[in-house]
Amino acid sequence: MAARRLRLDVGRLFAMGAELGSGRRAYCTSKAFAEVLRLPSKQLPKLVFPLQELEQHFVPGSRPDLHLKIFDPSLDDIARAESIFTASPRNRIEYLSSAVRLDHAPDLRRPEVCFIGRSNVGKSSLIKALFSLAPEVEVRVSKKPGHTKKMNFFKVGKYFTLVDMPGYGYRAPEDFVDMVETYLKERKNLMRTFLLVDSVVGIQKTDNIAIEMCEEFALPYVMVLTKIDKSSKGHLLKQVLQIQKFVDTKTQGCFPQLFPVSAVTYSGIHLLRCFIANITGNLETNGFQFS
Ligand code: GDP
């Protein structure tokens, strides 16, 4: 019989405390995620559901305007997503190619997701963290001035393609904007754009380059808040609430729930993997598939 589904919502997870103990492991089929499940029960929600964990720090009775559970997978769902991101001879995860123009991009039938953000936002670090279960994958970084900025394509088994878009600065060169715009506008198999914002400084003028593109082309996109390990809890809460307000009032195509992550502590990485697996059509979570 298949492993029993673990349907712990995070509220229960917090409440269960020590009860979780070693019993949790019985539900897990993924080797990598088993290690996460072995964490002390106070650390586990912080690592896996950082946004919901933040909610614990609001004054009791106050109603934070955060959307916490639109995407609300079980730990079992998250464990299943981990296997999609785990390299093996039968699940090859690898760098495919780079392109400076869309007509040089691999013609793929698989669903695609792309990661976009200004230089230094933590994009390479995040992609490396997402691929930590495929240590052979080399995430290429071309930051030196004068180096051509390219789109880098990675194949994740038979499941989907992940595209690392070039980072942009305030004065994004025209050819760069053309490349990114054309990709975002015309890539038929693009399922979701992940737009990275540095949680330490919040949304900057330069971030609007990408936000405006996504809005103009009516793309479905998701805001990922990077480097959450760097701030105090109070500062992070303030930034998260500000960004949530921006998403709620100023955007149309942005997924309402924010995805805070740290490439250092791995907080939020497992949930993000699960979301990617879901929106690329590879994993139903709690019986639900976002299109
Ligand atoms: P990119 O230009 O967007 O690819 O950014 P990088 O991934 O190269 O990161 C820029 C800087 O931020 C580097 O010094 C990273 O070590 C640092 N960094 C990236 N992600 C994190 C994070 O989650 N936490 C912390 N503390 N530093 C990070």
Side-chain angles (χ1 to χ4, degrees), residues 39-96:
L39 285 171
S41 39
K42 267 194 173 171
Q43 282 177 27
L44 191 143
K46 192 175 169 187
L47 180 70
V48 180
F49 302 103
L51 196 58
Q52 296 186 33
E53 199 268 342
L54 262 186
E55 192 201 18
Q56 311 290 310
H57 299 275
F58 281 100
V59 180
S62 71
R63 281 196 52 228
D65 300 319
L66 292 171
H67 304 291
L68 300 165
K69 293 187 179 182
I70 299 171
F71 180 67
D72 190 24
S74 67
L75 289 175
D76 185 42
D77 294 330
I78 294 174
R80 284 188 295 130
E82 295 287 287
S83 59
I84 291 176
F85 281 86
T86 306
S88 71
R90 293 182 61 196
N91 189 39
R92 291 174 67 92
I93 301 176
E94 58 197 359
Y95 164 79
L96 272 181

Side-chain angles (χ1 to χ4, degrees), residues 197-198 201-205 207-208 211 223 239 243 246-247:
V197 172
D198 185 333
V201 293
I203 296 173
Q204 302 285 293
K205 267 188 190 163
D207 295 316
N208 287 316
I211 294 171
M223 248 183 233
Q239 293 291 357
I243 296 168
F246 177 92
V247 168

Side-chain angles (χ1 to χ4, degrees), residues 118-126 141 143 226-230 261-264:
R118 63 185 172 78
S119 302
N120 234 34
V121 73
K123 186 162 54 63
S124 327
S125 306
L126 172 61
V141 191
K143 283 185 181 162
T226 61
K227 309 185 190 179
I228 59 168
D229 61 285
K230 279 183 93 174
V261 293
S262 164
V264 171

Side-chain angles (χ1 to χ4, degrees), residues 236-253:
L236 181 60
L237 268 172
K238 191 174 141 233
Q239 293 291 357
V240 165
L241 284 173
Q242 265 176 16
I243 296 168
Q244 182 74 72
K245 192 171 175 194
F246 177 92
V247 168
D248 290 346
T249 58
K250 301 267 193 314
T251 70
Q252 300 287 323

Side-chain angles (χ1 to χ4, degrees), residues 180-197:
V180 175
E181 256 192 29
T182 312
Y183 172 87
L184 293 178
K185 204 156 56 175
E186 295 180 14
R187 192 69 169 164
K188 301 250 178 327
N189 54 340
L190 177 62
M191 306 290 285
R192 219 42 132 238
T193 297
F194 289 85
L195 199 157
L196 275 50
V197 172

Side-chain angles (χ1 to χ4, degrees), residues 21-53:
S22 59
R24 285 183 310 208
R25 266 173 278 161
Y27 298 103
C28 183
T29 51
S30 153
K31 214 169 150 190
F33 200 59
E35 274 177 38
V36 172
L37 294 177
R38 272 196 285 271
L39 285 171
S41 39
K42 267 194 173 171
Q43 282 177 27
L44 191 143
K46 192 175 169 187
L47 180 70
V48 180
F49 302 103
L51 196 58
Q52 296 186 33
E53 199 268 342

